[in-house]
Amino acid sequence: QGITIDAQDLADEPVYAYIDQDRIGQVLLNVYLNAVEAMANGGVLKIWIEKDEVNDTIAINVSDTGCGIPGADIGRVFDPYFTTKQSGTGLGLAIVHKIVEAHGGRIWAEAEPEGGAKITLTLPVDAR
């Protein structure tokens, strides 16, 4: 589909967090699929992880160069039944939000200045 995956900013060393691998895998798959859908004409899907020693969390960042999220919608993308897609149910990102919260984490969306969108999720390094 003409999409390049940029994971070159991933750390050389492992980054650990206390997670349910299947559930966080579901979260990331949903975020990736939304990004791919937003890049119907190709683009770049970028993934990077940052460790926050002060707050004892990791941040997983996923950005794309797709159509972006309109400013009026940015705060609603995780609301149940909210969708901008013709065939969407509006449940995918709502479920993602619940899974991240169940892990003691946070998730939010931002519009990228040069176009596209960025989703960031933070997860605690240790069980809470």
Side-chain angles (χ1 to χ4, degrees):
Q1 292 185 343
I3 295 173
T4 303
I5 298 174
D6 178 355
Q8 64 187 4
D9 289 337
L10 289 175
D12 292 332
E13 299 174 17
V15 178
Y16 297 99
Y18 187 78
I19 62 168
D20 176 327
Q21 288 181 323
D22 291 334
R23 291 302 206 182
I24 296 301
Q26 180 182 0
V27 165
L28 293 173
L29 179 61
N30 191 293
V31 171
Y32 298 154
L33 290 175
N34 280 333
V36 167
E37 269 189 54
M39 296 185 288
N41 298 320
V44 178
L45 174 68
K46 184 174 181 179
I47 306 147
W48 71 101
I49 299 173
E50 300 167 308
K51 188 168 183 180
D52 182 344
E53 303 282 347
V54 174
N55 295 310
D56 214 17
T57 60
I58 62 164
I60 302 171
N61 303 282
V62 179
S63 70
D64 65 62
T65 57
C67 58
I69 304 169
D73 295 341
I74 216 85
R76 301 177 60 205
V77 295
F78 298 105
D79 291 350
Y81 306 110
F82 176 79
T83 185
T84 58
K85 300 175 187 174
Q86 293 288 342
S87 62
T89 63
L91 292 175
L93 288 178
I95 292 168
V96 160
H97 187 261
K98 290 293 182 194
I99 292 170
V100 172
E101 281 189 336
H103 278 79
R106 290 183 51 234
I107 187 166
W108 64 93
E110 300 172 72
E112 289 286 80
E114 57 280 339
K118 176 182 165 190
I119 301 288
T120 301
L121 62 115
T122 61
L123 297 167
V125 172
D126 297 315
R128 304 219 166 159

